[in-house]
Amino acid sequence: QVQLVESGGGLVQAGGSLRLSCAASGSIFSINVMGWYRQAPGKQRELVAAITSGGSTNYADSVKGRFTISRDNAKKTVYLQMNSLKPEDTAVYYCKADIVAIPKMDRYDYWGQGTQVTVSS
């Protein structure tokens, strides 16, 4: 059984910083792309940033230059450093990981439970 557990959300003033973490655990053979998504009230879930196992990254235009995604493959953990936060960054942030699980070796996208980020003006 595979599980993703997020942490690090909270309330911060505009211009502040937060660091999100997402740790994968369970019967994992390999983890391919890991990413962060967010969903604001009344809006669709959108990609914020993603990172491959080799370290290649991509970001939504709205967060480029402010957010940094990284991962520790040994710890099966992905991070999202969020700087210069704006009120429009307020959302529930979800971690997603493309994982090959044992023993069936099936490949599936797993999601975390979400963590709330609120940026006050």
Side-chain angles (χ1 to χ4, degrees), residues 61-81:
D61 288 343
S62 59
V63 306
K64 282 181 181 176
R66 300 188 298 123
F67 291 10
T68 302
I69 190 170
S70 61
R71 65 191 279 176
D72 184 328
N73 290 329
K75 294 183 179 179
K76 300 184 179 66
T77 299
V78 63
Y79 306 96
L80 186 67
Q81 178 66 44

Side-chain angles (χ1 to χ4, degrees), residues 10-96:
L11 173 64
V12 65
Q13 287 189 332
S17 298
L18 283 174
R19 189 190 194 213
L20 305 182
S21 300
C22 171
S25 63
S27 303
I28 296 171
F29 176 76
S30 65
I31 305 177
N32 302 301
V33 178
M34 301 184 83
W36 289 95
Y37 290 71
R38 66 186 181 188
Q39 188 167 19
K43 294 189 176 182
Q44 288 190 331
R45 191 172 297 188
E46 63 175 359
L47 174 68
V48 176
I51 184 168
T52 68
S53 57
S56 297
T57 59
N58 72 289
Y59 295 91
D61 288 343
S62 59
V63 306
K64 282 181 181 176
R66 300 188 298 123
F67 291 10
T68 302
I69 190 170
S70 61
R71 65 191 279 176
D72 184 328
N73 290 329
K75 294 183 179 179
K76 300 184 179 66
T77 299
V78 63
Y79 306 96
L80 186 67
Q81 178 66 44
M82 304 185 293
N83 298 329
S84 302
L85 282 160
K86 304 175 181 179
E88 50 264 44
D89 293 318
T90 295
V92 178
Y93 284 69
Y94 297 91
C95 169
K96 188 180 85 167

